[in-house]
Amino acid sequence: MEGILTGFAIIGVVIAVGYVAARLRLGGPDARTALNRIGFFVASPALLFTVIAGADVGELFQAPLLVQAISAVAVAAVFVVVNLLWLRRPATEATIGAVSAGYVNANNIGLPVAVYVLGDPAAVVPVILLQLLILAPVTLLVLDAQTSGRVSVRFVLAQPVRNPIILGSLAGAVVSLTGWSVPAPVLAPLEILGGAAVPMILLAFGMSLHGSRPFQQPGGRTAVVVASVLKAAVMPAVAFVLARFAFGLDPAQVATAVTLAALPVAQNVYNYAARFRTGELLARDTILVTTVASPVVLLVSSLLLHTG
């Protein structure tokens, strides 16, 4: 229990430092963008490479991954049904809302949570690959078809390959599967770079909270609330039921499944919305609401699971 509280305290303090830094304008107006880009293109791929290269890849893709996949699809489907029966938002916005309900921030928040709360950075790797290799291409296909009336398969399939996080993960998987020992002069710099990923991600995340004001679109407020409740509360509950009763996972695996499902909406969703110019405020507000709610949900769920 003390380790859980300590993990959340570490994450919270670094996020708070990032927020204060943004308020004081330390690093200038482009500091958050710079941290995000360096974390995305350099530090996170290095971290994932070193973690996966030293892990048993086969153990990463088992029942817990199915729990995450089914949970994400289930809550996305619920949003679609609610939209058809009640919200009546346009099809493209409904797609963004559905994706927001089930697409977790496995990188920016998931990596720090995996490191400091779960104690295993590899725990989040299957979710990252699931989302970037399967869920993201499907989302892009649907949005492309809805907005243009045609589907550019080449554009969609190229997105995961151009993602440095995917490339770093796949390189690490190759090393793990082949049993190749990475030379120390190569591995050591990657470990140093990977060590910078989590603090940079958390600082940038804290900076992003400064100046954010949700619910500026009157007609879309209900959709934001529905997507946020599905993501923050319903998805972790679905993950718990699946992990505990459907798959019969052990307590540690159940806790991991619930923790990963309780992560906030990924910022990628806003990128997709902006790319196709639809549902941008819905994506932004859902990300903000679930980001603020997620630490509370994560802490409460961890306490319940470890005392139950």
Side-chain angles (χ1 to χ4, degrees), residues 140-231:
L140 292 171
L141 275 171
V142 173
L143 288 171
D144 194 22
Q146 289 174 331
T147 56
S148 67
R150 59 183 178 82
V151 177
S152 175
V153 177
R154 179 180 298 179
F155 164 76
V156 173
L157 295 181
Q159 300 308 304
V161 179
R162 295 167 59 185
N163 190 308
I165 291 176
I166 286 292
L167 297 178
S169 299
L170 292 179
V174 170
V175 171
S176 175
L177 291 172
T178 59
W180 181 55
S181 180
V182 182
V186 175
L187 184 62
L190 292 175
E191 290 176 337
I192 294 174
L193 290 171
V198 171
M200 281 198 298
I201 287 170
L202 292 177
L203 284 172
F205 176 67
M207 291 178 174
S208 72
L209 297 179
H210 178 251
S212 298
R213 294 183 179 181
F215 302 112
Q216 298 298 306
Q217 183 186 25
R221 292 174 181 173
T222 305
V224 172
V225 172
V226 172
S228 298
V229 171
L230 286 172
K231 175 73 235 28

Side-chain angles (χ1 to χ4, degrees), residues 32 93 96-97 100 205 208-218 220-221 223-225 227-228 264-274 278-292:
R32 177 172 67 88
E93 286 193 28
I96 294 299
S100 297
F205 176 67
S208 72
L209 297 179
H210 178 251
S212 298
R213 294 183 179 181
F215 302 112
Q216 298 298 306
Q217 183 186 25
R221 292 174 181 173
V224 172
V225 172
S228 298
V265 181
Q267 294 174 347
N268 304 49
V269 178
Y270 179 79
N271 293 337
Y272 303 151
T278 181
E280 293 179 57
L281 292 180
L282 171 59
R284 186 202 66 184
D285 289 354
T286 307
I287 291 169
L288 179 59
V289 171
T290 57
T291 295
V292 173

Side-chain angles (χ1 to χ4, degrees), residues 68-109:
Q68 299 303 319
I70 296 172
S71 301
V73 173
V75 293
V78 170
F79 185 92
V80 172
V81 172
V82 171
N83 184 71
L84 290 173
L85 299 178
W86 179 32
L87 299 175
R88 309 286 185 177
R89 305 302 298 174
T92 52
E93 286 193 28
T95 299
I96 294 299
V99 175
S100 297
Y103 203 116
V104 303
N105 194 332
N107 184 39
N108 290 13
I109 301 300

